[in-house]
Amino acid sequence: WISPYHHRLDWQMWIAAQSGRIERNPWLYKFLLKLLQRGKDVIDLLEGDPWESSSSDATIHSHVDEREVSTKAGSLRTIPELTHGPKYIRIEKYRYKFFDNKNNAKLGDRDEPQYWIRERVGRYFPEQGVMTKEILEEFLR
């Protein structure tokens, strides 16, 4: 047994975030590259394809829409190309705390129970800018 070993992607990302820099978790580089390539094997690990249009009559806007793929460990922010998937990707790191009912803070317009409070810690990867498919492919050679 290798400890800690978890099959869930959100736990793997949480462990990676706790262990410091991305260099200690080289699997993340390949994961990011597969996300940028929209690899079916990696997209199937997510709840759904975050770059797939949610509506068949969706209009294409002239501005770039930034999307976020969230897990308990943090989130991957991507700026997708209009219909071909993401062009850039970065990882933001967040600190999560259990929601405390004592403060009775209203968080958003949600009717569902609030379990977590999320606080942005900072950038996990890359330290500046965004990462592209070409840069990651070159890096992994």
Side-chain angles (χ1 to χ4, degrees), residues 16-87:
Q18 299 306 310
S19 65
R21 301 174 54 88
I22 194 171
E23 291 82 6
R24 297 189 68 184
N25 299 281
W27 67 270
L28 268 173
Y29 294 118
K30 290 182 181 178
F31 175 71
L32 293 174
L33 180 59
K34 289 287 190 178
L35 277 176
L36 285 169
Q37 295 169 339
R38 286 184 78 187
K40 183 173 173 14
D41 54 338
V42 171
I43 297 295
D44 286 347
L45 295 172
L46 306 175
E47 187 175 352
D49 186 342
W51 302 285
E52 195 172 84
S53 178
S54 59
S55 160
S56 60
D57 59 338
T59 59
I60 297 175
H61 301 284
S62 59
H63 70 282
V64 176
D65 181 28
E66 187 173 288
R67 307 258 178 124
E68 183 174 313
V69 180
S70 296
T71 67
K72 288 181 183 174
S75 69
L76 304 171
R77 285 193 176 272
T78 63
I79 302 170
E81 294 176 5
L82 294 177
T83 57
H84 305 295
K87 184 175 181 180

Side-chain angles (χ1 to χ4, degrees), residues 99-140:
F99 179 74
D100 184 2
N101 282 331
K102 294 176 188 173
N103 63 14
N104 291 325
K106 180 169 171 50
L107 299 175
D109 297 326
R110 303 158 85 186
D111 291 333
E112 63 217 36
Q114 185 72 40
Y115 297 105
W116 302 100
I117 296 175
R118 179 171 94 159
E119 171 190 351
R120 184 178 182 273
V121 173
R123 180 73 63 87
Y124 184 71
F125 179 79
E127 290 183 12
Q128 294 181 333
V130 291
M131 190 58 57
T132 66
K133 236 186 297 193
E134 295 77 21
I135 294 172
L136 271 172
E137 287 170 342
E138 184 66 31
F139 182 77
L140 288 171

